[in-house]
Amino acid sequence: MLPLLTSLLRHRHRHRHVILLRRLSKPFSSSSIAEPLDLPLSYPTYFIWSSNTSLGKTLVSSGIAASFLLSSSQSLIRKRFLYLKPVQTGFPSDSDSRFVFSKLSAISARQSLSRSILASDRVLKASRPSVAAALPGGVATVGGDGGGMFDLESFRECRIAGEEDREHSELICETMFAWRDAVSPHLAVERENGMVEDSNVLGLLRRRLESGLTCGFPEEKMNAFCVVETAGGIASPGPSGTLQCDLYRPFRLPAILVGDGRLGGISGTISAYESLKLRGYDVVAVVIEDHGLENEVPLGSYLRQSVPVLVLPSIPQDLSNDLMEWFEGARGVFDSLVKTMLSAQSERIKRLQEMPKKAMDVFWWPFTQHGLMLEEDVTVIDSRCGENFAVFKAQNNGVMTQQFDACASWWTQGPDSTLQTELARDMGYAAARFGHVMFPENVYEPALECAELLLEGVGKGWASRTYYSDNGSTAIEIAIKMAFRKFLYDHGGLSNSVNDNSAESCTQLMVLALAGSYHGDTLGAMEAQAPSSYTGFLQQPWYTGRGLFLSPPTVFLSNNTWNLSLPEGIQSNKLKYATITFGSRNEVFDTSRDKSNLAEIYSSYIAIELARYPESKRSIGALIMEPVIQGAGGMHLVDPLFQRVLVNVCRSKNIPIIFDEVFTGFWRLGTETATKLLSCVPDIACYAKLMTGGIIPLAATLATKSVFESFIGDSKLTALLHGHSYSAHAIGCTAATKAIKWFKDPQTNKNLNSEGSSLKEMWDEELVYKLSSHPAVQRVVALGTIFALELRAEGSNAGYASLYARSLLKKLREEDGLYMRPLGNVLYLMCGPCTSPQICAQVLLKLYRRLDEFSKNQSTKF
């Protein structure tokens, strides 16, 4: 810091005013990676928004500060009020933090205080032109001729004496970033060459919220209060050009909306309110100035009285008394507003604190053993923004912390925060336009456009029809019906079925599938998968397993080498060491392997297995498999060569082929469809999860022209009699259309390679290989948006029911902000197609560090 530049001491009645101005002429550096958010809830913190500029946000902030600090109730309790202005233009001639500081000081000086108040105003960082204007000596004082932001420590202080002077209350006013020109922040940045990234704004705001009200201040009930005042209107751009309603969304602080009491203000206020609600903000109150038009009446009606609309007195034209009389006249309104804000805060904390117990009392969670659950194990999710949960923790009167959703919310999620908002808007439009309309024999734009995109994208080159359903499991049920009909149609099994549709007269069919597969929880889908934890007697007493289930060869990374693991049935003396390891993952997918000895061995193995199951017993009517990656079965990478050979064998026998891409589709594996990795196509394929961006359930089963034609006839009985009330619902189809386009557009998905056919490498290769050689790790799989590892474990510590990783996962959640849910001793991380590889590297590094600690702890037990 440079020495003190200016010092002014002024006495007026019982308070003094000190102005300190300091600066550090060092450009402010920007960072592209946002810091994790960790917000205390022990005191109320609110955003102050307005439907447009110049509607009195700063007057409202000042009134809230005065009401809280000067309230006669609890007057003996020390209080601290923090006013934050993240973005200020027009500085130094205009400063909202200085206005709040000055007005509160003036209001306080007119009253008899039971406790002294120490008020301060600081400006933290400013552009070069604004620093030059603020400092004595002007531009010459700053030095240099470049732009950038500077650490400007402009400080003012005022003490208003009260009866109790030893332990004073405090008003802290801070401007975080300031520019000289009184224009929209993005324009000021451009003109003054003072760029500030979104991550810088959020990071500094987070730090001020964490420390500004707690540093050196003992915790007392409701002794602190904070408001964060935005700049301009709801959708005014921030410094980087990001709309402020989007910029601040990771915090999701409750909102006070300053509306417009003027002519035309009803429309603007409602539009602002809807913009906030669309992004998931909670609006606690609307405040407007009285212009004699009674705008509060229609606004209250629109809000159905669920949000109070408070009316401030009209601001006088004559400002000769510095608005002191106006503030006095508005005090009742501000007292009511503060009461509303305190009550909303208290109710919010109460709801969050009660949720775990209520959840334990009323929920029956899927895939959860309630006998092992404690109330403290329940994760309270307040909201989601992009890839991150906002999670409530009850300690220290409550804190809202950020956790990266490494489960991609059960394998569905893909949106970043921008797409999340876009999806919400488009889905709202679809709901308003269509509500819900039935689908059979009807057409509407969302369903048609989505179907066309599916056929031109994941179904390109093979599919001709789209059949909608509601989720992945039912999409599989439909696919099996389609495949069986196609098989019977091709093999002459339908000749008398229209006249005799009884089960006894039908050919008994089964599927060809892979051990370790998982196709859903509905009865038909479960019958099409091999015996597992999901199909056992405890889960499904009806289960018989109507299929021939082949054990597949798998590929994995271990000790820096990609290895091939063969099941017992494929072991052969013909195999050489060179054929069961790979120099890189790319070699695994190389189609030149089709001419290898291994391809012949695979073909022979499949033929032998099929020969063991004579058609006289049952006919294999379909091949169904998860292409490349088996998800719920343990995140195994099945050898693509084996699956390709299997497809070719079935094709030669006229057996319809189903790809279950519910999990693997839409860039989950780094390509839009796994067919690009396998270099072969199915007759039928199922899609869901990422298809809508994961924001709402919708599924589609795509089929070839010949599959579709096997259902064509003169009787309705030969049609596909399967459907759901919400088939092709407009909201889901609209979301899918947006997500499909978003993920494959290089303008919105920066992770696409130059050809747009695949994603760049998401997981840091060095870290991936490092993890593969970790002594606690059995195997690693990294592909597309998936990273998985299997912990070395034996006995009850291995398998789906294993609790072996429980302590490790708790550390990752509680201390590293990494939300993970394992598959027994298999841990996985999952990101979205648009997630920054830098974030993936950070997440992977956290896992590696905890794994080291976990490994050491395990070794000390033995």
Side-chain angles (χ1 to χ4, degrees), residues 357-529:
K357 184 180 185 307
K358 289 184 175 181
M360 292 286 287
D361 289 342
V362 302
F363 285 167
W364 190 341
W365 284 296
F367 294 91
T368 299
Q369 177 47 261
H370 281 246
L372 300 175
M373 278 289 295
L374 300 174
E375 190 175 313
E376 64 191 44
D377 297 327
V378 179
T379 300
V380 180
I381 299 175
D382 177 73
S383 62
R384 180 190 187 94
C385 184
E387 297 100 340
N388 300 309
F389 291 150
V391 174
F392 173 74
K393 295 182 179 179
Q395 67 266 27
N396 301 323
N397 294 321
V399 63
M400 199 66 71
T401 188
Q402 179 178 285
Q403 291 185 359
F404 179 84
D405 177 15
C407 299
S409 279
W410 249 2
W411 314 353
T412 68
Q413 284 290 305
D416 53 18
S417 56
T418 305
L419 177 54
Q420 182 177 339
T421 299
E422 296 254 356
L423 286 169
R425 183 177 62 229
D426 286 8
M427 289 164 63
Y429 165 79
R433 179 179 173 185
F434 293 102
H436 176 60
V437 294
M438 68 177 297
F439 183 54
E441 301 174 30
N442 295 326
V443 63
Y444 36 93
E445 283 182 323
L448 180 60
E449 186 177 6
C450 181
E452 290 174 337
L453 282 171
L454 289 168
L455 296 176
E456 293 166 4
V458 292
K460 188 173 183 178
W462 66 271
S464 73
R465 296 285 169 165
T466 301
Y467 199 101
Y468 287 112
S469 59
D470 58 347
N471 65 70
S473 188
T474 49
I476 293 294
E477 300 273 354
I478 292 163
I480 293 171
K481 288 184 178 181
M482 289 179 177
F484 284 173
R485 170 66 67 84
K486 178 68 167 83
F487 178 85
L488 293 172
Y489 182 88
D490 289 343
H491 293 265
L494 294 176
S495 56
N496 198 37
S497 296
V498 175
N499 298 323
D500 184 0
N501 199 25
S502 63
E504 291 76 11
S505 66
C506 296
T507 304
Q508 295 299 303
L509 299 176
M510 66 175 188
V511 299
L512 177 62
L514 302 181
S517 60
Y518 175 86
H519 301 294
D521 296 324
T522 52
L523 297 182
M526 293 181 79
E527 286 295 299
Q529 58 200 50

Side-chain angles (χ1 to χ4, degrees), residues 198-212:
D198 291 351
S199 58
N200 297 132
V201 177
L202 297 178
L204 184 55
L205 178 55
R206 176 192 64 82
R207 292 192 293 274
R208 297 311 300 139
L209 290 173
E210 283 184 346
S211 63

Side-chain angles (χ1 to χ4, degrees), residues 567-684:
E568 290 184 8
I570 310 182
Q571 297 291 348
S572 170
N573 293 328
K574 297 180 182 179
L575 294 176
K576 297 179 181 179
Y577 181 77
T579 63
I580 59 174
T581 62
F582 305 91
S584 70
R585 190 187 61 199
N586 289 342
E587 287 185 20
V588 176
F589 295 97
D590 195 331
T591 54
S592 65
R593 297 177 62 210
D594 291 359
K595 300 176 182 179
S596 66
N597 290 336
L598 185 59
E600 294 179 10
I601 292 168
Y602 284 164
S603 182
S604 174
Y605 163 73
I606 294 166
I608 291 171
E609 291 298 312
L610 290 176
R612 290 178 181 174
Y613 216 103
E615 291 189 11
S616 59
K617 187 176 181 181
R618 274 184 185 175
S619 296
I620 293 176
L623 164 65
I624 181 170
M625 63 181 185
E626 299 163 272
V628 184
I629 294 285
Q630 291 183 326
M635 297 293 173
H636 290 284
L637 196 166
V638 179
D639 186 1
L641 175 62
F642 178 80
Q643 290 194 320
R644 199 158 49 245
V645 170
L646 187 56
V647 166
N648 291 336
V649 169
C650 289
R651 205 99 42 219
S652 68
K653 295 179 176 294
N654 221 10
I655 296 173
I657 297 146
I658 302 169
F659 280 3
D660 177 356
E661 287 219 67
V662 171
F663 171 51
T664 62
F666 295 104
W667 307 98
R668 182 58 73 203
L669 305 186
T671 55
E672 188 174 23
T673 167
T675 61
K676 302 298 182 184
L677 296 172
L678 280 186
S679 301
C680 61
V681 296
D683 301 295
I684 302 162

Side-chain angles (χ1 to χ4, degrees), residues 280-341:
Y281 290 100
D282 296 324
V283 179
V284 171
V286 176
V287 183
I288 63 171
E289 179 193 351
D290 184 7
H291 285 270
L293 299 176
E294 298 184 346
N295 283 6
E296 68 274 12
V297 176
L299 286 174
S301 177
Y302 167 78
L303 297 170
R304 300 187 182 278
Q305 314 307 324
S306 60
V307 178
V309 181
L310 306 178
V311 183
L312 292 168
S314 180
I315 300 173
Q317 297 297 315
D318 181 10
L319 303 180
S320 58
N321 73 339
D322 208 21
L323 289 175
M324 290 300 102
E325 291 183 6
W326 182 87
F327 275 108
E328 184 63 32
R331 182 164 184 173
V333 179
F334 286 124
D335 287 347
S336 178
L337 177 58
V338 169
K339 183 179 179 181
T340 298
M341 295 166 78

Side-chain angles (χ1 to χ4, degrees), residues 151-170:
D151 289 329
L152 171 69
E153 286 289 340
S154 171
F155 181 75
R156 301 166 185 264
E157 187 178 90
C158 172
R159 188 180 188 89
I160 306 97
E163 296 174 11
E164 170 58 60
D165 200 43
R166 288 174 301 174
E167 293 187 340
H168 53 261
S169 292
E170 293 182 46

